[in-house]
């Protein structure tokens, strides 16, 4: 199995200078507080500006405070060629407890990719993932900008991570700001409103998007301030596998535990400092390397595949739990959403060796320690593994058994039950809940799709958006990649991801079936069981694999397909199908409703 460390695509994307090809100086952009000059790429007809400072360095007395405007510095024109320093990084647990500090607290930078000589363009603001502990904005969305005719601008932002962005306790609430990393993102969106016109963008046409913790961030920005911002900062939201770990109240048991552990590792948890209520002041004055090491040390003490420092319900900026606010409907920022997830979200986030019901219950209880025995019984009713369940590795097709509740390409039995449970509670149900929230909002619109191309792991649905459409070796052909990039571009450009007839015709005849994504065919998601229509995106063909599966005493023959990396040598073709999300995977909607009902016992 692929380890968590290799999922670098979704957790952190290495800095790289985008857009290979000849380049020349781009026009100087005057932001008032500073002037920046990026470069013009002749191959893509884009002006690229990397490493633009959008907020003052959050160091010293600005640690754990609201972001502030940068100081004015007009003494020179700053080169905007390379991305700015990444924020301090914290690993997931369990892991090596001591690593060299990686990053700088002076990291509130963003990158802009703007088609040249154009104005009033829609804007896509992308927020990186990484469990709120790692990652950076050193990536680009250039391939799909080009696919969509260079008709919109993208902005990639950085924000404080780990303890620097998500330290939480009563001390922080009293003397600083909670959810500082989400406040950074909010501040960057305010920057876009004020300055993006200088790059050719239209601040009235902003879509925000993100993957994993970036998707979770988009969710929280949609909830920010109780939804009263509405369309002030953005109209649309794109969420990919929105990460929703246990969202405690800001002074809950786990945030308090991690705060005290962090302060202790920094050397600020002495009896004298505690007696004088000076622990927080000590943290503000501490050396950055000591703070970075402490942040990473504590984060790696978190549960398997998780980070210690994550968003909390602060009662002011993030007023409620996501399940509460999203399922109320209406009290949300923005008016439209495109929500997506993968079929196999959690193999690398779930500890291995869970072979019995006792193991399963232990896993659930450890992740959600406030559950009662009655709650556990309710969970077992929906995730139970029958004694005659098959021990085969087989990809679920979502509509017929074996479902992902019992079998996948990665696991079977109680191991798969735990993996699927974590996938649903942490990534997939939040995707559903977001679609519900915007479908229920007045004038709201929601579309949803699942990415099922093997191995369909966490983050894999972003590969065809971030790579050229003619890329090979990942089981997706040009038709699949291009159609998906069209869908993404359509959502940014006109607020509707469905493919128009011209786009379908341009791909027709090249193999595959993408018509289910067409306008008038792919309906909006409705927050009603039986009307949760979504797309299932897959590639069919390849090498057939026959398996026998026993369900309730009935023997079933299951045929799945193993794609080859060499697409030209197989019959793999794009296969987009319209499916009903509530009944999908043996009743996923019912399981998501259970978790919404249990939220007060799991997310508080």
């Amino acid at each position: 199995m692929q380890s968590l460390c290799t999922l670098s695509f979704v957790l952190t994307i290495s800095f790289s200078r985008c857009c290979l090809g000849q380049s020349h100086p781009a026009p100087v952009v005057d932001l008032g507080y500073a002037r920046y000059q990026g470069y013009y790429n002749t191959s893509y007809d884009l002006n690229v500006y990397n490493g633009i400072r959008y907020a003052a360095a959050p160091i010293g007395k600005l640690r754990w405070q609201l972001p502030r405007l940068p100081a004015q510095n007009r003494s020179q024109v700053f080169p905007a060629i390379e991305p700015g320093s990444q924020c301090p990084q914290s690993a997931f647990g369990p892991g090596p407890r001591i690593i060299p500090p990686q990053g700088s607290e002076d990291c509130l930078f963003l990158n802009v990719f703007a088609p040249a000589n154009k104005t009033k363009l829609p804007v896509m603001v992308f927020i990186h993932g990484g469990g709120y502990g790692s990652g950076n904005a050193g990536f680009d969305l250039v391939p799909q900008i080009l696919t969509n005719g260079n008709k919109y601008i993208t902005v990639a932002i950085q924000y404080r991570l780990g303890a620097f962005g998500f330290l939480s306790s009563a001390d922080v609430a009293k003397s600083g700001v909670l959810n500082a990393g989400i406040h950074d993102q909010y501040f960057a969106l305010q920057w876009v409103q004020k300055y993006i016109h200088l790059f050719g963008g239209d601040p009235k046409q902003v879509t925000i998007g993100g993957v994993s913790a970036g998707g979770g961030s988009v969710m929280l920005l949609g909830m920010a301030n109780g939804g009263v911002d509405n369309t002030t900062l953005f109209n649309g939201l794109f969420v990919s596998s929105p990460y929703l770990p246990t969202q405690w109240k800001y002074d809950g048991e786990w945030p308090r535990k991690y705060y005290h552990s962090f302060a202790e590792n920094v050397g600020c948890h002495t009896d004298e400092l505690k007696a004088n209520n000076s622990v927080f002041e000590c943290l503000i004055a501490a050396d950055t390397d000591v703070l970075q090491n402490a942040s990473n040390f504590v984060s790696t003490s978190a549960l398997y595949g998780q980070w210690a420092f994550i968003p909390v319900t602060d009662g002011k900026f993030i007023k409620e739990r996501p399940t509460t606010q999203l399922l109320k409907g209406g009290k949300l920022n923005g008016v439209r959403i495109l929500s997506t997830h993968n079929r196999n979200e959690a193999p690398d986030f779930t500890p291995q060796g869970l072979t019995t019901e006792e193991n399963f219950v232990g896993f659930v209880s450890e992740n959600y320690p406030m559950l009662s025995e009655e709650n556990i019984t309710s969970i077992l009713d929906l995730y139970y593994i029958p004694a005659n369940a098959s021990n085969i590795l087989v990809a679920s097709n979502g509509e017929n058994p074996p479902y992902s509740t019992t079998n996948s390409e990665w696991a079977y039995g109680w191991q798969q039950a735990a993996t699927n449970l974590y996938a649903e509670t942490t990534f997939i149900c939040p995707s559903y809940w977001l679609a519900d929230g915007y479908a229920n909002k007045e004038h709201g619109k929601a579309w949803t799709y699942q990415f099922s191309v093997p191995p369909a792991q966490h983050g894999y649905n972003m590969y065809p958006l971030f790579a050229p459409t003619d890329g090979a070796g990942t089981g997706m052909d040009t038709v699949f990649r291009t159609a998906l990039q069209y869908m993404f571009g359509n959502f940014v450009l006109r607020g509707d991801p469905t493919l128009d007839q011209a786009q379908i015709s341009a791909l027709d005849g090249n193999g595959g079936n993408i018509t289910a994504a067409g306008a008038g065919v792919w309906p909006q998601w409705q927050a009603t069981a039986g009307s949760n229509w979504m797309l299932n995106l897959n590639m069919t063909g390849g090498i057939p694999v026959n398996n026998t599966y026993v369900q309730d005493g009935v023997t079933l023959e299951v045929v799945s397909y193993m794609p080859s990396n060499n697409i030209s040598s197989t019959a793999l073709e794009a296969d987009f199908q319209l499916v009903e999300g509530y009944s999908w995977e043996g009743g996923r909607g019912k399981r998501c409703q259970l978790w919404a009902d249990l939220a007060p016992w799991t997310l508080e």
Side-chain angles (χ1 to χ4, degrees):
M1 179 179 292
Q2 191 174 9
S3 72
L4 261 175
C5 298
T6 65
L7 291 180
S8 59
F9 177 80
V10 65
L11 301 182
T12 178
I13 305 172
S14 299
F15 282 148
S16 64
R17 181 170 175 175
C18 84
C19 314
L20 297 177
Q22 294 183 341
S23 61
H24 306 288
V28 173
V29 174
D30 191 340
L31 301 176
Y33 61 86
R35 293 173 293 167
Y36 288 92
Q37 185 171 37
Y39 64 92
Y40 168 71
N41 183 273
T42 57
S43 299
Y44 290 89
D45 193 26
L46 282 172
N47 291 320
V48 181
Y49 297 84
N50 285 320
I52 294 177
R53 181 185 298 279
Y54 72 85
I59 58 178
K61 293 183 179 181
L62 296 186
R63 284 175 179 152
W64 299 292
Q65 303 296 326
L66 289 172
R68 302 185 185 183
L69 288 171
Q72 188 174 95
N73 186 346
R74 299 180 59 82
S75 62
Q76 61 175 307
V77 175
F78 290 95
I81 307 302
E82 300 295 335
S85 300
Q86 68 177 2
C87 295
Q89 307 284 295
S90 293
F92 47 80
R97 294 301 181 90
I98 299 177
I99 61 172
Q102 299 179 25
S104 167
E105 289 186 74
D106 184 8
C107 62
L108 298 185
F109 299 99
L110 53 77
N111 308 323
V112 179
F113 306 90
N117 302 313
K118 294 183 179 180
T119 60
K120 295 289 184 179
L121 293 180
V123 181
M124 176 69 203
V125 180
F126 202 83
I127 303 172
H128 72 77
Y132 299 105
S134 61
N136 57 60
F139 54 90
D140 68 80
L141 302 176
V142 168
Q144 41 81 14
I145 299 176
L146 183 66
T147 298
N148 288 284
N150 276 22
K151 294 180 180 178
Y152 55 90
I153 289 174
T154 64
V155 180
I157 67 174
Q158 296 187 164
Y159 54 98
R160 281 172 281 182
L161 303 168
F164 297 94
F166 298 97
L167 189 67
S168 181
S169 71
D171 280 358
V172 180
K174 178 182 177 180
S175 303
V177 64
L178 302 160
N179 293 315
I182 308 298
H183 279 286
D184 292 341
Q185 299 165 7
Y186 190 88
F187 196 78
L189 293 177
Q190 293 176 315
W191 183 97
V192 168
Q193 287 297 308
K194 186 173 183 178
Y195 296 111
I196 202 62
H197 71 281
L198 299 174
F199 300 85
D202 182 356
K204 295 181 179 180
Q205 300 185 72
V206 175
T207 298
I208 64 174
V211 55
S212 194
S217 297
V218 170
M219 174 181 66
L220 295 175
L221 290 166
M223 296 168 50
N225 294 319
V228 299
D229 296 332
N230 200 12
T231 58
T232 302
L233 296 178
F234 53 87
N235 296 294
L237 304 87
F238 169 78
V239 293
S240 171
S241 307
Y243 179 45
L244 178 57
T246 303
Q247 186 170 303
W248 292 82
K249 188 179 177 182
Y250 72 92
D251 59 351
E253 178 184 349
W254 285 7
R256 288 198 309 271
K257 177 180 72 172
Y258 291 137
Y259 174 76
H260 293 312
S261 179
F262 177 70
E264 183 177 349
N265 277 276
V266 175
C268 292
H269 206 247
T270 65
D271 291 339
E272 180 180 356
L273 289 171
K274 287 187 289 182
N276 294 327
N277 295 316
S278 299
V279 173
F280 187 73
E281 288 75 11
C282 175
L283 293 175
I284 289 174
D287 177 77
T288 186
D289 284 355
V290 174
L291 291 170
Q292 291 189 47
N293 284 330
S295 178
N296 181 68
F297 183 90
V298 175
S299 192
T300 55
S301 70
L303 297 178
Y304 186 97
Q306 298 185 39
W307 287 256
F309 301 107
I310 52 181
V312 294
T313 303
D314 58 44
K316 297 179 180 179
F317 188 51
I318 308 301
K319 295 177 180 291
E320 299 179 283
R321 296 185 302 271
T323 46
T324 301
Q325 187 170 342
L326 293 175
L327 297 181
K328 282 181 180 177
K331 294 185 177 181
L332 297 167
N333 301 316
V335 293
R336 53 186 172 81
I337 191 167
L338 177 58
S339 183
T340 173
H341 57 272
N342 297 276
R343 185 181 64 226
N344 297 318
E345 286 282 4
D348 293 289
F349 295 98
T350 311
Q352 302 304 294
L354 306 178
T355 59
T356 66
E357 179 181 333
E358 183 180 6
N359 295 155
F360 175 83
V361 171
F363 167 76
V364 174
S365 299
E366 184 178 34
N367 277 269
Y368 307 107
M370 300 184 72
L371 290 173
S372 67
E373 290 186 13
E374 182 180 359
N375 298 152
I376 295 291
T377 298
S378 297
I379 293 168
L380 282 171
D381 286 343
L382 294 183
Y383 288 90
Y384 185 73
I385 299 296
N388 64 347
S390 175
N391 60 350
I392 61 172
L393 297 177
V394 59
S396 168
N397 67 11
E399 295 184 303
N400 308 105
Y403 299 116
S404 290
T405 50
T406 59
N407 298 74
S408 73
E409 303 99 309
W410 302 95
Y412 54 81
W414 288 107
Q415 180 68 58
Q416 178 59 23
T419 300
N420 181 64
L421 179 146
Y422 188 80
E424 290 183 338
T425 60
T426 311
F427 302 109
I428 300 175
C429 292
S431 176
Y432 275 37
W433 295 329
L434 276 160
D436 283 345
Y438 283 90
N440 279 329
K441 181 174 181 177
E442 185 177 5
H443 306 303
K445 299 178 180 179
W447 292 267
T448 303
Y449 67 83
Q450 175 173 298
F451 180 89
S452 296
V453 179
Q457 285 176 272
H458 185 65
Y460 273 70
N461 55 345
M462 299 304 294
Y463 279 112
L465 289 180
F466 279 17
T469 57
D470 59 355
T474 58
M476 290 168 281
D477 65 1
T478 299
V479 172
F480 186 104
R481 291 170 177 267
T482 305
L484 193 56
Q485 291 191 22
Y486 281 160
M487 290 158 55
F488 183 88
N490 290 348
F491 186 70
V492 174
L493 291 168
R494 59 177 186 246
D496 182 335
T498 59
L499 302 177
D500 60 38
Q501 189 54 53
Q503 292 170 328
I504 292 176
S505 297
L507 298 174
D508 193 32
N510 294 310
N513 180 13
I514 60 171
T515 57
V521 182
W522 180 11
Q524 295 177 33
W525 175 281
Q526 302 295 323
T528 304
S531 299
N532 301 146
W533 295 107
M534 69 178 187
L535 287 184
N536 183 43
L537 309 185
N538 208 341
M539 296 286 295
T540 60
I543 305 169
V545 178
N546 293 290
N547 290 288
T548 299
Y549 179 78
V550 178
Q551 174 78 13
D552 298 328
V554 179
T555 300
L556 302 172
E557 291 294 331
V558 179
V559 180
S560 58
Y561 293 87
M562 183 182 299
S564 166
N565 285 338
N566 184 0
I567 290 176
S568 62
S569 69
T570 74
L572 278 174
E573 292 185 338
D575 183 17
F576 293 5
Q577 294 182 349
L578 190 64
V579 301
E580 205 284 314
Y582 189 89
S583 59
W584 188 247
E585 292 289 8
R588 176 166 279 161
K590 189 174 183 179
R591 296 191 295 275
C592 288
Q593 183 60 55
L594 171 68
W595 288 108
D597 294 340
L598 291 179
W601 289 272
T602 60
L603 301 175
E604 191 171 75

